[in-house]
Amino acid sequence: MLSLKNIDMDMLTTAMENASYDMRWWLDRDTGELEMSGDMVDEGLSPEELEERDFVVVEADSHRSYRDMEDFIATLEDERVRAALFRAIERNRPFRHFKDALYDYPKVQEDWYAFHEKRMRHHAITWLLSEGLIDEQEAQGALGTEV
């Protein structure tokens, strides 16, 4: 079983957000290290080799990411800002439009990054727990709540 202190959580959350069909991220069950594979990677192990070595593929979840934006918007008190951000995520390419809309509200943008970082860490820890890679007590301690 891995310990959270042996996992680069920033790298894991980046992997969870940036996995795609062209590039996959893999977590080593034994060391907690992350590896990439795919068309954009010049060197390294093939996906088949990573599977053989019992690495776990890290999947992106755009539905979860969309819900995170909705949850953040719901926390905002300023109705005008809330409406602008809801309009942004209702358009095609909601992630791009949300990010663009945040530029008009620097303080809200700062709040979003703090919210997002905390939320992604939570997602990473719950994913590690669901994969049986970390101890439940360590996960609960890191999350500060019962899992």
Side-chain angles (χ1 to χ4, degrees):
M1 195 148 294
L2 293 170
S3 173
L4 287 174
K5 65 183 172 201
N6 295 332
I7 301 169
D8 183 338
M9 294 300 286
D10 290 335
M11 184 66 80
L12 179 57
T13 59
T14 297
M16 292 177 83
E17 289 187 293
N18 295 306
S20 68
Y21 294 109
D22 295 5
M23 183 179 68
R24 295 213 120 174
W25 290 82
W26 301 78
L27 182 76
D28 185 328
R29 291 177 186 271
D30 297 324
T31 67
E33 292 182 22
L34 287 151
E35 297 283 337
M36 286 188 292
S37 69
D39 296 341
M40 301 179 73
V41 180
D42 292 332
E43 297 178 17
L45 300 172
S46 70
E48 295 78 23
E49 291 170 312
L50 291 163
E51 283 182 26
E52 282 177 20
R53 292 184 183 194
D54 202 27
F55 279 55
V56 181
V57 68
V58 178
E59 300 284 351
D61 184 346
S62 62
H63 297 292
R64 180 196 64 228
S65 298
Y66 187 89
R67 283 189 309 274
D68 288 347
M69 291 187 302
E70 289 178 315
D71 291 347
F72 173 73
I73 295 168
T75 69
L76 300 174
E77 292 181 19
D78 186 322
E79 181 63 39
R80 186 176 55 86
V81 175
R82 205 169 46 240
L85 293 177
F86 267 127
R87 279 192 306 275
I89 67 171
E90 290 174 346
R91 298 176 63 188
N92 287 338
R93 300 179 61 212
F95 300 103
R96 173 82 261 158
H97 291 291
F98 179 77
K99 188 175 179 181
D100 289 346
L102 283 173
Y103 285 116
D104 294 334
Y105 310 101
K107 173 65 174 111
V108 175
Q109 182 181 40
E110 187 178 305
D111 293 345
W112 161 250
Y113 287 128
F115 176 92
H116 180 67
E117 183 178 331
K118 184 177 179 181
R119 189 60 72 92
M120 285 306 299
R121 181 172 170 77
H122 176 87
H123 294 321
I125 292 169
T126 57
W127 176 77
L128 290 163
L129 184 61
S130 73
E131 291 290 328
L133 298 170
I134 60 172
D135 178 72
E136 187 168 345
Q137 283 186 311
E138 184 179 17
Q140 288 177 358
L143 294 172
T145 61
E146 288 194 24
V147 178

